Amino acid sequence: KLYILISSFLYILRVSFTLYMIDTMYVMTPGTVIRQDGGLLVLEKEHEVMRQLPMATVGTIVLGRTVQISTQVMFSLVKQGSVIQFVDHKYNLIGTLGDEHTSLKKLLWQVKYFMDETFAHMAACYIVYRKVKAQQAILDQYHKTRDIPNYDSIRHTLQALANKIERTTTVDALRGIEGLSSRTYFSVWNEILSEPWTFPGRKRHPSTDPVNALLSYGYSFLEREVRACLLSTGLDIRIGVLHSTNDRKDSFVYDVMDLLRQEIIDRFILKVFNRQMINQSNFDISERGCFLAKDSHKAWIQTYEYYMTHAASRLAGQTPREWIQQEVKYFLDFLNEIGGGYFCTNQEKVSEIA
C-alpha cells in the first residue's frame, strides 16, 4: 500500500540522515546599513555599530525595504552560497537572490517526472497523507486536555480521508481530500484556543481576526524557510506536483510547505495564543482586515526566531529549522526514489545550504 511505502521509506531515511544548520538573520530596522569588514558582517545605524558577526555563519539574510546593503556584501554572501531575501513592509516576500545550483540535467529530470501523472500522483499522495496525519496529531494532543465536541467523529473523518488517499487515481482527487481535511481540522480550532481568542474558520485575503492574521503571517515566514532550503536543490520551484503548474512562480514551494504547516507553524501559533504571549493590542483591525500592528513586528520576529532555533523534544531534540531541512531532504529523496534515482548523485547533498 502506498502509505506503508511512504512510512517505511521515511523510517529508513531517519536512520541515516545527517543534518546541516542554517542560520537566518532578519534586518528590518529602518536606516540600517550593512557593510563588510574582512570576514565580518557589520550592521550600522547613524554611523554606530549595532552588531558584528562572521559572514560565514549567515545562511539566509532577510532584508526590509529601508535597509541599505552594499554590492560587496551581496557579492560575498552569494559567493559563499548564502540566500538574500527581500520583503516589503508587511513581510511579504518580494524576491530572492542566491545561487540556485541549477543544472540542465536536474531541470530535464524534473520536467520529465513532475509532468508524469503517475509520478505526480505518488508525490502528491506523500504530501497529503503527511498533512492529514499531522492535523490528526494536533487534535489528538489537545483532546488530552480539552473538551472537543464531536472529537470522535472529527477524528474518524480525518482517518477515513487518510485511508482514502491510497485509493485515489488522480491529483485532483487528492486536492479534494486535502481541502476537506483542512476544513475538518480547522472546524475545531475554536475549541482548542484559550479565551479570549476565537476562530471563525480559516479566513484570508484579508484575515478577519487575530488568529487568522497570525496564521497567515506565520505561513509567510515558513514560505521563506522553504524557499531557502529549495534554492540549493536546483529544482525549478515553478513546477509542482500537488499545486497546479499553470504559470505560477511558486507551485513547488507550496507543495513542500504543506508538509510542514501543522508541525511547524500551527503548533507555534496555538502556543502563542494559548499561553497569552500576544494580546489584542498587538493587532490593527479595520474595514481592511486584521493585521499585526507595526510596532509588534520586532517582538514577533524575536519570538519566532527563538522558537525556530531552540530544540524541541517532539522533534527528537532538533530545532524547528533543522527539522524543516530534514523533512525537505526526506521528501526529495522520496522523489528521487520513485523517479528512477536520476535526480541526485552520491556527491550531491540536495538539502545542504552552505
Side-chain angles (χ1 to χ4, degrees):
K1 295 181 179 180
L2 183 59
Y3 72 88
I4 295 178
L5 169 64
I6 293 172
S7 299
S8 300
F9 187 81
L10 289 173
Y11 175 77
I12 293 171
L13 286 173
R14 286 189 172 94
V15 173
S16 60
F17 179 61
T18 301
L19 202 59
Y20 295 86
M21 180 61 181
I22 301 175
D23 289 324
T24 299
M25 181 171 68
Y26 291 81
V27 186
M28 313 303 299
T29 304
T32 301
V33 177
I34 305 175
R35 64 177 179 83
Q36 183 177 350
D37 184 3
L40 292 177
L41 202 62
V42 182
L43 280 66
E44 297 179 338
K45 185 175 182 182
E46 297 177 352
H47 305 292
E48 291 188 9
V49 175
M50 301 165 58
R51 184 180 179 187
Q52 298 183 75
L53 72 160
M55 185 173 291
T57 65
V58 179
T60 301
I61 183 168
V62 182
L63 304 176
R65 60 178 181 173
T66 57
V67 173
Q68 299 179 48
I69 182 171
S70 70
T71 303
Q72 179 190 18
V73 173
M74 290 191 290
F75 181 88
S76 297
L77 287 171
V78 172
K79 184 178 180 181
Q80 75 176 17
S82 299
V83 176
I84 305 172
Q85 297 181 325
F86 301 92
V87 298
D88 63 15
H89 67 289
K90 293 183 179 179
Y91 292 74
N92 295 313
L93 184 67
I94 301 301
T96 301
L97 181 63
D99 186 359
E100 300 182 11
H101 303 280
T102 57
S103 71
L104 180 59
K105 177 183 177 181
K106 288 181 180 179
L107 180 59
L108 291 176
W109 178 91
Q110 185 180 6
V111 171
K112 175 183 177 180
Y113 285 100
F114 281 40
M115 296 295 101
D116 178 81
E117 291 183 6
T118 300
F119 178 95
H121 178 258
M122 292 184 69
C125 280
Y126 180 108
I127 296 170
V128 177
Y129 181 78
R130 293 292 304 281
K131 183 171 185 176
V132 174
K133 298 306 288 185
Q135 292 169 341
Q136 196 175 58
I138 289 180
L139 297 187
D140 289 346
Q141 174 192 333
Y142 279 92
H143 177 61
K144 296 175 182 177
T145 57
R146 296 172 185 267
D147 180 23
I148 301 178
N150 301 320
Y151 165 79
D152 291 336
S153 174
I154 291 169
R155 194 184 192 288
H156 175 77
T157 297
L158 290 177
Q159 185 59 52
L161 290 171
N163 294 339
K164 188 177 180 181
I165 290 171
E166 64 172 326
R167 299 194 296 271
T168 62
T169 58
T170 67
V171 174
D172 277 342
L174 289 168
R175 294 185 185 119
I177 290 175
E178 187 275 330
L180 181 55
S181 73
S182 292
R183 287 192 295 274
T184 303
Y185 161 72
F186 279 121
S187 71
V188 299
W189 264 50
N190 203 50
E191 279 67 47
I192 63 179
L193 283 163
S194 298
E195 294 183 351
W197 306 108
T198 60
F199 187 72
R202 190 72 178 103
K203 309 286 185 181
R204 48 193 179 272
H205 310 309
S207 299
T208 59
D209 59 280
V211 178
N212 272 297
L214 209 57
L215 265 176
S216 294
Y217 205 46
Y219 291 153
S220 71
F221 274 64
L222 178 62
E223 178 186 348
R224 291 196 288 277
E225 303 279 354
V226 170
R227 286 181 183 274
C229 284
L230 292 181
L231 274 174
S232 66
T233 68
L235 293 176
D236 192 320
I237 61 174
R238 296 171 296 179
I239 308 174
V241 289
L242 177 62
H243 292 81
S244 59
T245 302
N246 53 359
D247 295 325
R248 294 177 58 150
K249 62 180 181 179
D250 48 18
S251 295
F252 195 52
V253 173
Y254 284 101
D255 282 352
V256 175
M257 285 177 64
D258 273 347
L259 292 169
L260 310 167
R261 291 178 190 268
Q262 279 67 50
E263 194 62 50
I264 297 299
I265 298 301
D266 290 10
R267 287 183 183 273
F268 175 54
I269 298 302
L270 287 168
K271 175 182 176 180
V272 167
F273 283 110
N274 286 336
R275 295 191 181 182
Q276 307 301 326
M277 298 166 65
I278 201 165
N279 57 58
Q280 292 284 351
S281 66
N282 296 122
F283 296 91
D284 288 333
I285 304 177
S286 67
E287 65 278 359
R288 296 185 301 107
C290 179
F291 304 94
L292 192 67
K294 187 176 181 180
D295 58 4
S296 298
H297 287 166
K298 184 176 180 179
W300 158 263
I301 291 175
Q302 291 173 340
T303 302
Y304 174 82
E305 277 301 300
Y306 181 87
Y307 163 71
M308 291 297 293
T309 56
H310 283 71
S313 58
R314 64 182 172 82
L315 302 177
Q318 299 175 87
T319 69
R321 187 163 287 141
E322 289 172 335
W323 191 83
I324 287 173
Q325 295 173 70
Q326 170 186 277
E327 294 305 304
V328 171
K329 173 67 163 60
Y330 291 167
F331 182 46
L332 295 181
D333 282 350
F334 179 76
L335 296 182
N336 189 46
E337 181 73 15
I338 65 175
Y342 300 112
F343 167 46
C344 63
T345 67
N346 292 333
Q347 288 73 41
E348 292 176 298
K349 296 175 181 176
V350 296
S351 69
E352 179 178 355
I353 297 180

